[in-house]
Amino acid sequence: MRGIIFVKEPMIHEINKSKLTITKDNAPVLTYCYGDAESPPYFHPLYSPNGQVVTEGEYAQGQYPPGICFTLGTVNGEQLDPNTLTRERDPSNAEDSGDFTIVTTWNTSEPLLIETCTTAVYPPQTEVQVLDITISLYAPTTSLEFAGNIGLGCRTVEMEYRKAADANGRIGELAVNGNRSVWGTLSGVTATEQSVVGVGIFPHPTNGETTFLAEDASLGYLFAQAVPFKVNVGVTRTLKYRVLAYIGDLFTVDVWKYHQDYIG
């Protein structure tokens, strides 16, 4: 809500070489998977405050990335080769803060791109679970042009009566898909638990204009696509997003108020 303060409280990190799991009072909040070089890092499972899983899937070629996932699109007209990357967790974040940072360095003969993903995980609230995700893209040796599917996407758990919606009042896949908006959301009734939940993506205004791509079939997908941009040598481009996993749907949760809180 406007003016609401999400207070940081201690949460527990469980860390191995490929995953980081966060719990609060023994209840799961999320898992972040970052150990597979063939796959972009992703959040799955992500839970709503009532314990419902809202994300779906493992990584498979030819499918949408699983869970909540940032993708780079093309860099200088090509897909980056995963065989050139190194990825590690920054150990400087306190393990009970709810914050963590993953650094991916893409190399050719020299470092090409340093991609830093920093996530702030807030304790679950009554109706919402909030993540703030910051992606920093640094070009150390050559200018880089980003295009295509660059942005933050969400592949969601199987739901009934699922509907995509956006900030412009458009409802349904055909209305939302391919249009620019300041936020987008998917909500519905989970097929197994019959719980009404939703996921929203709020791109920060400093990102520039965002086009939302949506599918609201039983396994839905929502993607916040950034416009193409260039990062000059020695410069960092930052993209910021808030992800909202909520209990209810567009008619019971005031998504606009949570968005105004984020940008205000």
Side-chain angles (χ1 to χ4, degrees):
M1 307 255 189
R2 192 166 183 80
I4 190 172
I5 298 175
F6 295 108
V7 178
K8 286 298 190 70
E9 299 174 5
M11 291 186 285
I12 302 300
H13 290 196
E14 298 175 6
I15 301 166
N16 60 36
K17 292 183 178 180
S18 62
K19 294 182 179 180
L20 181 152
T21 297
I22 294 180
T23 59
K24 172 66 177 170
D25 297 330
N26 295 320
V29 175
L30 62 81
T31 293
Y32 187 68
C33 305
Y34 61 92
D36 182 0
E38 297 293 325
S39 165
Y42 59 92
F43 299 85
H44 173 69
L46 171 66
Y47 297 83
S48 64
N50 62 352
Q52 300 300 310
V53 176
V54 298
T55 52
E56 174 67 24
E58 299 299 328
Y59 182 77
Q61 291 291 342
Q63 295 184 1
Y64 294 125
I68 307 289
C69 180
F70 179 81
T71 53
L72 284 170
T74 60
V75 181
N76 290 348
E78 299 180 349
Q79 299 283 343
L80 293 181
D81 182 356
N83 293 315
T84 68
L85 71 79
T86 58
R87 182 178 291 141
E88 59 187 1
R89 184 182 65 87
D90 183 345
S92 64
N93 297 121
E95 292 186 8
D96 63 352
S97 67
D99 298 346
F100 60 90
T101 299
I102 305 296
V103 180
T104 303
T105 302
W106 304 82
N107 299 283
T108 51
S109 57
E110 54 191 2
L112 177 71
L113 168 66
I114 300 175
E115 174 190 355
T116 303
C117 176
T118 298
T119 303
V121 183
Y122 295 88
Q125 308 296 304
T126 301
E127 67 177 1
V128 297
Q129 174 64 59
V130 176
L131 314 180
D132 283 344
I133 301 169
T134 300
I135 307 292
S136 297
L137 304 171
Y138 176 67
T141 57
T142 187
S143 295
L144 303 174
E145 295 186 1
F146 294 82
N149 291 327
I150 178 168
L152 191 73
C154 177
R155 197 166 106 200
T156 56
V157 70
E158 184 178 0
M159 297 181 189
E160 300 169 348
Y161 314 111
R162 178 198 305 279
K163 283 297 180 185
D166 68 17
N168 296 77
R170 293 179 283 250
I171 298 178
E173 176 184 335
L174 293 179
V176 172
N177 192 26
N179 285 307
R180 290 179 175 176
S181 190
V182 297
W183 56 257
T185 186
L186 277 170
S187 61
V189 181
T190 59
T192 53
E193 295 88 358
Q194 295 294 296
S195 178
V196 183
V197 295
V199 177
I201 300 177
F202 302 163
H204 197 274
T206 56
N207 294 3
E209 293 184 318
T210 299
T211 298
F212 277 91
L213 306 176
E215 291 188 11
D216 60 10
S218 61
L219 289 172
Y221 186 66
L222 185 70
F223 185 68
Q225 185 179 59
V227 296
F229 58 84
K230 182 178 181 178
V231 180
N232 290 321
V233 177
V235 173
T236 298
R237 172 65 188 265
T238 299
L239 298 170
K240 298 179 181 179
Y241 303 89
R242 174 163 286 185
V243 173
L244 202 71
Y246 55 88
I247 304 170
D249 59 25
L250 192 66
F251 304 103
T252 60
V253 176
D254 195 339
V255 178
W256 256 118
K257 288 187 178 180
Y258 284 106
H259 178 265
Q260 290 300 307
D261 173 69
Y262 177 49
I263 68 172

